[in-house]
């Protein structure tokens, strides 16, 4: 498993984690923004009117309304990325990451408009009478590139497990265990039954459920966010200043105590932006293809609102909650994750200027750092490591404090531990102490710094439950339609059964390998989709012109 995981990480180094990927993603969005004349600005008001059903026609084919399609697509994007993803982006890239998430969302509004319009245009009616669409259909039916469509469809199925399924229930189960001490197996069992009840009913039941969950979870999250923002209103101005200042200066003050480079903030912001709103990935067009719309451009206009609601609204609220509360630069007691734990040679602290500079270079991958990872044996007495000042323990990009080694969950460990290349080898030992935190844990801490006090942190597991569960529902449909494209209707039920089984298993299992595979699959969805969009840029422009001629003129007269 470890060898396979490392192999996938190596592949990802040439794909999503490569330096070129953010530029391709933003470049396509910028091209279409200029080529189509800033549709995310010009058509923004009209998009809301289409969503409201002002131009609906009774003879339009489809399975869902505009609002239900938007809700399903939003439920697929509004998830852990909005809660934990934003916190991780700020943790890794500082406030500047928010700026680049905004840029990704702004350009992504146009990208989403294009991919949804094309996918809706080339959708088909399946054997059971429902609609099926997505980038694989325009790649096949319009571009005659079936091989590319097959790659996209397979990647969609992998991503349905690695993005929408397993990590979502894993996050839910961990959050419910930490907050309410509920056994992950019970969380997985109950939610798996509910998931099966929803997805077996197909897109109409999925749309009916998501159209109710999305508004509720959105309102709850906005109320919780505003309670923190207004409580820390004096810090909001500085929060905005830091977002813009660090975006253009690459300030080393970003990224917690030890800083993040400009490139790091840019890369993390763009990638988190994609993970948040999925513009360009080609997933949301699958949901929008089910919508009742006479003209594909009409549904494309509705999709413009997705990155706005998902990233510019909800992710901004999360970012302001974290920045204004100040928790992102504070050390908190926590259980150290092995992936964030590092033992280095020498004694360092994050107060001394020279030490901070060296730690900054080490954590950001600079080649001229003097810091080396420690390998050897370490004596532990009553839970405390006897480092003799020769070793520094890092966790979550910070120098760890009050570090304790425990076993069986509570007993102080006594004995020897082996450290190899900075990693703790002994599996049954837990390490706890004070350090920076990130992801959903950071957002949860920030929500406790508002008018609701400590009760505010309970908003996170509750909204995470709804966000993540609705994401799992939406992605089941994405994978469902990819299966239909590849093997037909006969493959749908086996896929749904496997999807529910994987959902249950991931509630208590290690999903690291699935996460890594998904990272590769996401790029194998995105790059073919972006290529197809570019190849059809002239058709897209003529399709938009035709829409305004046949449909838009009537709107302008009103």
């Amino acid at each position: 498993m470890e060898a396979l995981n490392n192999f996938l990480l190596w592949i990802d180094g040439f794909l999503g984690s490569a330096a070129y990927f953010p530029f391709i993603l933003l470049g396509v969005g910028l091209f279409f923004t200029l080529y189509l004349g800033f549709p995310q600005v010009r058509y923004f008001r009209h998009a809301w009117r289409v969503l409201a059903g002002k131009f609906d026609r009774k003879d339009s084919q489809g399975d869902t309304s505009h609002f239900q399609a938007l809700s399903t697509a939003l439920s697929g994007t509004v998830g852990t990325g909005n809660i934990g993803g934003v916190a991780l982006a700020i943790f890794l890239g500082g406030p500047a990451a928010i700026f680049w998430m905004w840029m990704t969302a702004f350009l992504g509004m146009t990208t989403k408009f294009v991919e949804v319009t094309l996918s809706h245009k080339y959708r088909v009616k399946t054997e059971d009478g429902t609609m099926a669409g997505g980038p694989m259909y325009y790649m096949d039916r319009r571009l005659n590139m079936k091989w590319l469509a097959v790659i996209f469809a397979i990647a969609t199925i992998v991503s349905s497990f690695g993005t929408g399924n397993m990590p979502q229930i894993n996050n839910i189960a961990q959050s419910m265990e930490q907050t309410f001490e509920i056994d992950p197996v019970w969380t997985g069992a109950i939610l798996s039954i509910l998931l099966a009840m929803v997805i077996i009913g197909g897109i109409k039941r999925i749309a009916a459920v998501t159209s109710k969950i999305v508004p509720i979870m959105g309102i709850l999250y906005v109320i919780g966010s505003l309670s923190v923002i207004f409580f820390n209103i004096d810090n909001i101005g500085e929060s905005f200043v830091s977002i813009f200042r660090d975006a253009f200066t690459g300030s080393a003050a970003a990224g917690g105590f030890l800083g993040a480079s400009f490139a790091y903030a840019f890369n993390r912001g763009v990638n988190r932006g994609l993970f948040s709103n999925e513009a360009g990935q080609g997933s949301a067009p699958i949901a929008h293809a089910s919508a009742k719309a006479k003209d594909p451009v009409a549904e494309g206009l509705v999709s413009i609102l997705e990155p706005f609601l998902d990233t510019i609204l909800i992710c901004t609220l999360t970012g302001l909650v974290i920045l204004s509360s100040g928790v992102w630069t504070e050390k908190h007691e926590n259980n150290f994750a092995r992936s964030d734990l590092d033992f280095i040679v020498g004694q360092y602290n994050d107060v001394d200027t020279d030490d901070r500079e060296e730690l900054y270079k080490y954590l950001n991958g600079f080649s001229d750092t003097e810091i080396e990872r420690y390998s050897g044996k370490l004596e532990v007495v009553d839970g405390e490591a006897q480092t003799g000042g020769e070793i520094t323990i890092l966790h979550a990009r910070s120098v760890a404090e009050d570090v304790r080694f425990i076993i069986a969950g509570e007993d102080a460990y006594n004995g020897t531990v082996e450290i190899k290349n900075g990693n703790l080898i002994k599996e049954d030992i837990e390490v706890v102490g004070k350090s920076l935190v990130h992801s959903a844990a950071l957002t949860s801490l920030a929500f406790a710094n508002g008018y609701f006090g400590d009760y505010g942190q309970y908003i996170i597991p509750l909204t995470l439950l709804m966000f993540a569960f609705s994401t799992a529902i939406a992605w089941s449909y994405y994978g469902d339609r990819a299966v239909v494209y590849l093997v037909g209707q006969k493959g749908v039920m086996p896929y749904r059964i496997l999807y529910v089984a994987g959902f249950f298993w991931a509630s208590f299992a290690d999903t690291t390998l699935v996460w890594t595979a998904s990272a590769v699959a996401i790029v194998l969805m995105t790059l073919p989709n972006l290529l197809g969009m570019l190849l059809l840029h002239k058709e897209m422009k003529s399709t938009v012109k035709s829409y305004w001629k046949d449909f838009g003129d009537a709107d302008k007269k009103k």
Side-chain angles (χ1 to χ4, degrees):
M1 284 292 186
E2 183 177 355
L4 179 58
N5 189 64
N6 290 335
F7 175 70
L8 291 172
L9 286 171
W10 177 76
I11 294 178
D12 186 52
F14 295 99
L15 297 173
S17 296
Y20 69 82
F21 182 69
F23 291 98
I24 291 178
L25 186 65
L26 293 181
V28 172
L30 178 61
F31 167 75
F32 276 107
T33 294
L34 298 175
Y35 184 67
L36 298 177
F38 289 86
Q40 68 270 65
V41 177
R42 293 166 58 208
Y43 307 149
F44 187 74
R45 175 176 171 272
H46 183 76
W48 286 103
R49 301 178 75 187
V50 174
L51 177 64
K54 186 175 179 60
F55 310 108
D56 285 355
R57 298 181 184 179
K58 293 182 180 180
D59 58 343
S60 298
Q61 289 189 327
D63 307 312
T64 63
S65 66
H66 291 303
F67 180 73
Q68 288 177 326
L70 178 66
S71 295
T72 301
L74 277 174
S75 67
T77 58
V78 179
T80 55
N82 299 80
I83 295 177
V86 176
L88 182 61
I90 293 174
F91 169 78
L92 292 172
I98 298 296
F99 176 84
W100 294 114
M101 289 184 77
W102 288 343
M103 293 300 100
T104 305
F106 178 74
L107 297 177
M109 291 169 74
T110 299
T111 305
K112 188 87 73 168
F113 172 51
V114 176
E115 63 182 347
V116 168
T117 299
L118 292 174
S119 295
H120 196 281
K121 185 175 183 178
Y122 291 100
R123 64 180 180 167
V124 299
K125 182 173 286 189
T126 65
E127 299 169 15
D128 66 352
T130 59
M131 307 304 295
M136 58 275 199
Y137 284 97
Y138 79 71
M139 292 174 187
D140 188 340
R141 300 181 66 208
R142 177 64 180 86
L143 292 173
N144 296 316
M145 300 173 72
K146 188 175 181 63
W147 62 272
L148 194 65
V150 169
I151 290 176
F152 179 88
I154 293 174
T156 300
I157 295 172
V158 174
S159 290
S160 73
F161 285 94
T163 298
N165 182 318
M166 296 182 177
Q168 304 297 335
I169 183 58
N170 194 266
N171 278 326
I172 293 173
Q174 289 181 10
S175 178
M176 298 304 283
E177 182 181 31
Q178 292 170 3
T179 308
F180 303 110
E181 298 183 353
I182 299 175
D183 191 316
V185 174
W186 281 108
T187 300
I190 293 171
L191 291 182
S192 294
I193 293 172
L194 293 176
L195 178 67
M197 292 172 63
V198 174
I199 70 174
I200 289 176
I203 183 56
K204 292 185 178 180
R205 187 178 298 172
I206 289 173
V209 172
T210 56
S211 64
K212 292 178 175 61
I213 292 179
V214 169
I216 293 173
M217 70 185 189
I219 292 171
L220 178 60
Y221 195 72
V222 168
I223 291 174
S225 299
L226 293 178
S227 76
V228 179
I229 291 171
F230 283 111
F231 185 81
N232 299 283
I233 194 68
D234 292 342
N235 299 329
I236 293 299
E238 176 56 32
S239 297
F240 275 108
V241 169
S242 66
I243 291 171
F244 288 99
R245 179 192 62 217
D246 294 352
F248 294 103
T249 64
S251 172
F257 281 114
L258 301 175
S261 64
F262 173 83
Y264 217 67
F266 171 76
N267 186 277
R268 293 300 171 179
V270 172
N271 279 305
R272 284 296 102 182
L274 172 61
F275 183 72
S276 171
N277 58 56
E278 297 174 12
Q281 186 176 338
S283 51
I286 300 174
H288 284 284
S290 68
K292 297 175 182 178
K294 189 73 173 178
D295 195 299
V297 175
E299 192 59 30
L301 289 169
V302 172
S303 70
I304 283 178
L305 305 175
E306 274 180 50
F308 173 79
L309 294 170
D310 175 275
T311 305
I312 296 179
L313 179 59
I314 296 179
C315 288
T316 298
L317 287 174
T318 304
L320 291 177
V321 164
I322 293 170
L323 295 177
S324 66
S325 65
V327 295
W328 70 291
T329 58
E330 299 171 353
K331 294 182 180 180
H332 303 270
E333 183 75 18
N334 68 102
N335 195 319
F336 292 175
R338 291 294 182 101
S339 58
D340 287 338
L341 188 59
D342 196 4
F343 295 78
I344 60 174
V345 178
Q347 187 172 15
Y348 296 88
N349 65 66
D350 39 29
V351 177
D352 181 83
T353 303
D354 292 336
D355 285 359
R356 284 172 57 86
E357 184 176 348
E358 277 303 312
L359 289 167
Y360 169 80
K361 290 191 291 185
Y362 173 73
L363 291 170
N364 288 288
F366 287 79
S367 59
D368 59 341
T369 179
E370 299 176 357
I371 295 178
E372 298 178 357
R373 287 191 169 95
Y374 175 76
S375 292
K377 293 185 176 179
L378 192 62
E379 290 293 326
V380 179
V381 179
D382 292 332
E384 296 185 5
Q386 310 301 299
T387 63
E390 298 177 356
I391 301 171
T392 298
I393 301 175
L394 302 179
H395 181 257
R397 297 179 62 83
S398 61
V399 175
E401 299 175 1
D402 301 332
V403 179
R404 303 178 305 284
F405 293 74
I406 59 177
I407 196 165
E410 53 186 26
D411 298 328
Y413 177 73
N414 284 280
T416 302
V417 295
E418 183 180 357
I419 311 298
K420 186 176 181 180
N421 194 31
N423 298 313
L424 177 64
I425 302 301
K426 199 169 179 62
E427 293 292 337
D428 58 347
I429 291 180
E430 295 181 20
V431 186
V432 298
K434 290 183 178 180
S435 72
L436 296 180
V437 296
H438 60 76
S439 300
L442 177 58
T443 310
S444 183
L445 287 168
F447 268 73
N449 286 264
Y451 286 112
F452 295 132
D454 290 339
Y455 292 105
Q457 62 186 323
Y458 294 113
I459 294 175
I460 295 305
L462 292 175
T463 52
L464 182 62
L465 172 62
M466 290 189 287
F467 279 27
F469 184 65
S470 64
T471 297
I473 293 173
W475 270 94
S476 73
Y477 180 68
Y478 299 161
D480 179 311
R481 297 297 91 178
V483 168
V484 168
Y485 173 76
L486 291 172
V487 300
Q489 199 67 32
K490 63 184 179 181
V492 171
M493 190 54 68
Y495 166 79
R496 290 173 179 172
I497 293 172
L498 186 61
Y499 192 86
V500 173
F503 189 76
F504 172 67
W505 174 78
S507 65
F508 55 84
D510 183 2
T511 58
T512 301
L513 180 62
V514 180
W515 261 114
T516 308
S518 180
V520 175
I522 286 172
V523 184
L524 292 179
M525 291 177 66
T526 306
L527 292 179
N529 185 42
L530 295 178
L531 173 62
M533 289 164 58
L534 288 172
L535 292 175
L536 295 176
H537 67 282
K538 290 183 179 179
E539 180 173 336
M540 179 65 196
K541 193 167 190 175
S542 64
T543 302
V544 174
K545 285 184 177 180
S546 176
Y547 171 81
W548 285 112
K549 179 181 179 182
D550 300 336
F551 199 79
D553 289 341
D555 176 45
K556 293 176 182 178
K557 294 176 182 178
K558 294 181 180 180

